Amino acid sequence: MSGSRERDSRVARIDAAIRVIPDFPKPGILFRDVTTLLLDHQAFKDSIDIFVERYKDLKIDVVAGIEARGFIFGPPVALAIGAKFVPIRKPRKLPGEVISEEYTLEYGTDCIEMHVGAIQSGERVLIVDDLIATGGTLQAAIKLIERVGAEVVECALLVGLTDLKGHLKLGGKPVFVLVEYEGA
Amino acid sequence: MSATRDGDPRVPRINAAIRIVPDFPKPGILFRDVTTLLLDHQAFKDSIDIFVERYKEQKIDVVAGIEARGFIFGPPVALAIGAKFVPMRKPRKLPGEVVSEEYTLEYGTDRIEMHVGAVQPGERALIIDDLIATGGTLRAAINLLERVGAQVVECACVIGLSDLKGQEKLGGRPLFILVECEDS
């Protein structure tokens, strides 16, 4: 990748703009809050530009964004690279016919859904979300997309928590993380 | 559905890309589904371009987007006009200290929240959502922004349901609609 030094300085600013909130949603968790990144126009723009530079020549047909913070980062990337944007949502939010995929939580299960017909068989898909932790939601999204016969080219995240070894759950699908952190 | 927005030739394509889903979320409702607009890259881009053309010279400091579909349209506009993006969210989603505003539903109440410090007194704000129906959510968003001392310059929606007279709830704040629809 050309200009790696330039990319490094943008990443430092992006990293600095992300706020850490202790004990959210529960004690012991250090929550990475990207809303403060969105208040820094240049850093927000840089984060999108880095994704666009990476994906614009990869013939991506679809950017799939995971509700809700994936809706913030996915559409600007989709618009810049000429791709469709497809929202992947919590249950009962999408009005039309859906396909859904269940996934396991620490306690119990949850479900994500996508509209039937939004993604066609054979299309090349980029999944975007703000953060990967255990990778459970992302893995469910990969399964959904593969079930309709499309190809997940990569998963792109603003933030990755390396300690949680989330990458191992994604079954060999490449994961690109802009800012990595250690610790839960 | 009527289509014209001051005769802009891009609007008919935007209008045509929005799907109607009958009886969602309950019988008798004709739900306007913007997800099909997001599958038409040119039409999605045009909708953003129309907003950007309208607001880029208006010294907008903040684009506030209402969860969740406001997160799809707000950030591309914010990025293009050099503004911050501030998500306005359902309760208990934002990790930091929040201000919240309650509003009335057909049955019961709901709340929207914003991070303390995201918007400064005196800042000029644009609120974006995909659709205005009764205007209750938009009115709550206006109240929140004005409580922290911001000036709401305009509310912008892709779709307006004219029969529901949502504009009346906005207390005189300007409303800009791309596609006007009759509710029935």
Side-chain angles (χ1 to χ4, degrees):
Chain A
M1 181 182 304
S2 66
S4 61
R5 185 190 299 261
E6 186 198 340
R7 174 174 171 265
D8 288 348
S9 72
R10 290 182 296 179
V11 172
R13 182 169 174 163
I14 291 162
D15 188 346
I18 295 170
R19 158 169 85 158
V20 178
I21 306 258
D23 302 321
F24 183 90
K26 55 187 192 187
I29 307 263
L30 293 174
F31 188 88
R32 263 72 188 186
D33 177 19
V34 293
T35 68
T36 46
L37 169 65
L38 310 174
L39 301 179
D40 180 340
H41 173 262
Q42 187 61 53
F44 181 22
K45 182 178 180 303
D46 286 346
S47 70
I48 299 301
D49 287 348
I50 292 171
F51 287 144
V52 170
E53 288 158 20
R54 183 177 181 86
Y55 297 113
K56 65 182 159 79
D57 296 324
L58 294 192
K59 296 184 173 43
I60 304 291
D61 300 300
V62 180
V63 174
I66 300 183
E67 171 163 15
R69 291 182 293 264
F71 290 8
I72 295 173
F73 296 95
V77 174
L79 286 163
I81 67 175
K84 306 189 288 193
F85 178 73
V86 171
I88 295 190
R89 298 210 67 172
K90 303 288 189 184
R92 297 174 297 283
K93 302 293 187 78
L94 291 169
E97 191 189 356
V98 297
I99 57 170
S100 65
E101 181 77 24
E102 198 173 77
Y103 61 102
T104 313
L105 300 171
E106 190 179 8
Y107 298 104
T109 63
D110 205 341
C111 211
I112 50 170
E113 298 184 338
M114 181 170 77
H115 269 145
V116 167
I119 298 183
Q120 306 300 315
S121 178
E123 286 189 317
R124 291 168 56 77
V125 182
L126 169 69
I127 302 176
V128 174
D129 205 357
D130 67 321
L131 181 147
I132 174 173
T134 63
T137 322
L138 271 171
Q139 189 173 28
I142 292 169
K143 284 190 185 162
L144 252 188
I145 291 162
E146 292 185 334
R147 275 168 57 196
V148 300
E151 175 196 355
V152 175
V153 175
E154 195 156 271
C155 300
L157 296 308
L158 266 296
V159 179
L161 299 171
T162 53
D163 279 20
L164 294 177
K165 304 274 193 287
H167 306 189
L168 294 181
K169 274 201 175 187
L170 298 182
K173 289 294 169 190
V175 173
F176 174 71
V177 174
L178 220 48
V179 179
E180 287 208 13
Y181 296 108
E182 303 199 357
Chain B
M1 278 199 303
S2 65
T4 53
R5 174 76 227 179
D6 299 321
D8 190 315
R10 295 170 290 185
V11 171
R13 182 168 174 166
I14 293 167
N15 183 16
I18 296 167
R19 158 171 84 159
I20 296 179
V21 182
D23 302 320
F24 183 90
K26 54 188 191 186
I29 306 261
L30 293 175
F31 188 88
R32 265 74 182 184
D33 178 19
V34 290
T35 68
T36 45
L37 169 63
L38 310 175
L39 301 179
D40 180 342
H41 174 262
Q42 187 61 53
F44 181 24
K45 182 178 182 302
D46 287 344
S47 70
I48 299 300
D49 287 348
I50 292 171
F51 287 140
V52 171
E53 288 158 19
R54 183 176 181 85
Y55 298 114
K56 64 182 161 98
E57 309 292 342
Q58 292 202 31
K59 299 184 172 44
I60 303 290
D61 301 299
V62 178
V63 174
I66 300 182
E67 172 164 16
R69 290 182 293 262
F71 290 7
I72 295 173
F73 294 93
V77 174
L79 286 164
I81 68 174
K84 306 189 287 193
F85 178 73
V86 172
M88 307 195 84
R89 297 211 67 174
K90 303 287 188 186
R92 296 173 299 282
K93 300 296 186 75
L94 292 169
E97 192 188 353
V98 297
V99 286
S100 69
E101 180 79 13
E102 197 172 78
Y103 61 102
T104 312
L105 299 171
E106 191 179 7
Y107 298 104
T109 63
D110 205 341
R111 299 185 84 86
I112 57 167
E113 299 185 336
M114 181 172 75
H115 270 145
V116 167
V119 178
Q120 304 302 314
E123 286 189 319
R124 290 167 57 79
L126 167 68
I127 304 175
I128 289 191
D129 206 355
D130 67 321
L131 183 147
I132 176 172
T134 63
T137 320
L138 273 172
R139 183 62 203 244
I142 291 168
N143 290 348
L144 254 188
L145 286 163
E146 291 184 343
R147 275 169 53 198
V148 300
Q151 177 198 354
V152 176
V153 175
E154 194 156 89
C155 297
C157 298
V158 179
I159 302 163
L161 300 181
S162 51
D163 285 13
L164 296 184
K165 300 191 172 36
Q167 183 150 22
E168 294 177 5
K169 274 254 184 91
L170 304 189
R173 277 71 165 195
L175 172 67
F176 175 73
I177 304 285
L178 269 187
V179 176
E180 288 275 2
C181 299
E182 299 190 354
D183 192 39
S184 56

